[in-house]
Amino acid sequence: MRVDGDRLWDALMEMARIGPGVAGGNNRQTLTDADAEGRALFRTWCEEAGCTMGIDSLGTMFARREGSDPDALPVYVGSHLDTQPTGGKYDGVLGVLGGLEIVRTLNDLGIRTKHPIVVTNWTNEEGTRFAPAMLASGVFAGVHDQAWAEDRTDARGLRFGDELDRIGWRGDEEVGARRMHAFFELHIEQGPILEAEGKQIGVVTHGQGLWWLQITLTGKDAHTGSTPMEMRANAGLGMARILELVHRIAMENQPDAVGAAGHIDVYPNSRNVIPGKVVFTVDFRSPDRDKLDGMKARLEAEAPEIAADLGLGFEIEEAGHFDPVTFDPGCVSAVRDAADRLGYAHRDIVSGAGHDACWINRVAPTAMVMCPCVDGLSHNEAEEITKDWATAGADVLLHAVTETAGIVT
């Protein structure tokens, strides 16, 4: 069995015409008019493929293809249609339309499965307009409270719940009431490993855990030209030395551990003033919980010493966290076996980004399939993949899903 790669690619290009960006990508942020238009097109395609559409009260869409056993739990597959403000055409969208292509292919071949197959579009995966990311799937998995989620506001103060009502995509299903036999998500890698190694498929075994730690260093604003070097309380220098420590900690916890600064604010941020205050966020990630917690503990122990040596005030607080994810061995094996059968070059890989699958893994057996993206670039309008990569990922998804759902002979 193989998907129709041309049809999948055409669907990706047609969806990309909705919410165009300014540089060839997309700006289809969640709960905007463009999001509503993309949802409507997806619903039309699903209904044309013979699916029935369910929508929960956070707007997540569930397109169901019936199985032969009405009592069998469905196999779910999908991702998200919302994008970053300067997003690409494939991040998330490939997983949703790849799931739709599975249904279309099974229809073409006249194949029935024992378990129903449900193609899913999760609301607000990106979290760029309403933080945090993976919001609807987080409520579905019991990580977040729905009332709290609906009270999230965007930069203009607009509420998530109000905007969901405004675009007309609030359903009547209870969030999280659905039970799943398994969940699969196809996604672009959003990193450079698969392309660099010439692999067509990434078999995702784990998802990175994360610690965000916000550090505030307080020194003294002073003139850069007239203040002697030995008399400075330079918060910028303290940040530089702590970030060197962050890099060293990550390198000493290989493989797969990463660490860097994300958000940085420097005060007063003037050309001729020594920074008197710096606030920055350290992002540590690892699929190994002991390593992840160990990196955090080491930073908390050694960073204050750096600040003290420079005469700086020091504060650190936790700004975000989620535990590493180990995906279901059976579902992972289904992905790996499918890549083997189809002859696609593959390797095991750890997802460095968060995905809806990371939350759904808490409530159902879950795995992910990844395909390469050019130069590992994502969350950028220049994000690009090839038709062959998209086809290979969807082929593997097709086999993993149908093996799990059971083909009726």
Side-chain angles (χ1 to χ4, degrees):
M1 295 187 299
R2 304 273 180 165
V3 302
D4 185 333
D6 290 334
R7 180 171 57 195
L8 172 59
W9 194 257
D10 288 345
L12 288 166
M13 294 306 104
E14 188 169 347
M15 184 62 73
R17 286 196 282 268
I18 298 174
V22 297
N26 281 106
N27 180 7
R28 195 171 53 247
Q29 295 179 63
T30 195
L31 307 189
T32 59
D33 293 344
D35 182 24
E37 186 179 351
R39 289 165 172 267
L41 178 59
F42 175 60
R43 178 170 61 185
T44 296
W45 283 341
C46 292
E47 290 174 348
E48 290 173 349
C51 296
T52 56
M53 181 64 70
I55 305 170
D56 73 16
S57 58
L58 284 180
T60 297
M61 304 171 68
F62 303 98
R64 177 182 175 112
R65 183 183 194 260
E66 292 298 339
S68 64
D69 184 350
D71 297 323
L73 292 178
V75 175
Y76 285 70
V77 57
S79 192
H80 60 97
L81 292 175
D82 68 315
T83 76
Q84 292 284 327
T86 54
K89 299 188 289 287
Y90 313 100
D91 173 1
V93 186
L94 176 62
V96 177
L97 300 186
L100 173 62
E101 179 56 33
I102 287 176
V103 171
R104 288 170 162 174
T105 297
L106 293 177
N107 290 346
D108 290 345
L109 299 175
I111 291 174
R112 297 186 70 197
T113 57
K114 175 183 176 181
H115 294 258
I117 294 173
V118 177
V119 185
T120 307
N121 169 36
W122 297 103
T123 299
N124 192 36
E125 191 276 348
E126 292 291 0
T128 185
R129 185 181 176 200
F130 298 99
M134 300 115 69
L135 185 62
S137 59
V139 176
F140 188 98
V143 178
H144 306 306
D145 176 75
Q146 182 168 346
W148 176 86
E150 293 200 31
D151 277 339
R152 299 303 89 202
T153 57
D154 67 6
R156 295 186 296 163
L158 299 174
R159 287 181 67 254
F160 179 99
D162 294 338
E163 286 294 276
L164 178 61
D165 289 330
R166 183 189 66 81
I167 67 168
W169 279 93
R170 186 191 293 274
D172 55 9
E173 288 188 17
E174 178 186 351
V175 178
R178 288 172 172 259
R179 297 172 60 209
M180 300 180 175
H181 182 60
F183 178 74
F184 291 88
E185 181 169 0
L186 169 62
H187 210 281
I188 64 172
E189 180 192 352
Q190 300 183 284
I193 297 172
L194 295 177
E195 184 188 29
E197 295 187 3
K199 306 295 187 184
Q200 297 156 292
I201 296 295
V203 180
V204 185
T205 59
H206 296 77
Q208 298 270 43
L210 172 150
W211 274 113
W212 284 340
L213 303 167
Q214 181 171 288
I215 294 176
T216 301
L217 298 176
T218 307
K220 181 182 291 186
D221 302 356
H223 197 292
T224 56
S226 57
T227 307
M229 296 297 289
E230 69 276 8
M231 299 178 69
R232 300 181 177 204
N234 186 343
L237 176 60
M239 180 182 70
R241 291 186 178 175
I242 290 173
L243 293 184
E244 177 62 29
L245 170 64
V246 167
H247 181 80
R248 189 163 62 249
I249 290 172
M251 292 301 295
E252 292 174 5
N253 281 276
Q254 296 303 302
D256 299 322
V258 294
H263 188 90
I264 298 174
D265 288 315
V266 179
Y267 303 93
N269 202 24
S270 177
R271 289 182 180 87
N272 60 350
V273 180
I274 298 165
K277 180 180 178 181
V278 179
V279 181
F280 60 102
T281 302
V282 172
D283 185 329
F284 277 137
R285 304 190 188 208
S286 172
D288 184 311
R289 181 168 185 171
D290 289 341
K291 282 186 177 181
L292 181 67
D293 290 344
M295 291 193 293
K296 172 179 179 283
R298 182 173 168 192
L299 181 70
E300 290 172 333
E302 297 184 23
E305 298 175 359
I306 293 173
D309 287 344
L310 295 173
L312 302 174
F314 177 88
E315 296 178 14
I316 188 169
E317 60 181 301
E318 297 173 3
H321 171 69
F322 55 81
D323 288 335
V325 173
T326 300
F327 288 116
D328 178 73
C331 292
V332 170
S333 292
V335 172
R336 188 182 296 113
D337 292 347
D340 280 334
R341 285 197 304 273
L342 292 163
Y344 289 129
H346 62 88
R347 60 158 286 170
D348 289 357
I349 196 167
V350 173
S351 174
H355 300 284
D356 293 308
C358 296
W359 288 149
I360 301 307
N361 189 63
R362 295 185 171 210
V363 295
T366 300
M368 294 188 67
V369 185
M370 284 187 172
C371 76
C373 56
V374 175
D375 294 331
L377 190 64
S378 183
H379 286 192
N380 187 307
E381 291 199 57
E383 173 186 282
E384 194 55 75
I385 66 175
T386 70
K387 184 190 296 185
D388 288 344
W389 289 344
T391 302
D395 278 342
V396 170
L397 187 71
L398 169 67
H399 279 251
V401 168
T402 53
E403 176 185 323
T404 306
I407 293 177
V408 178
T409 57

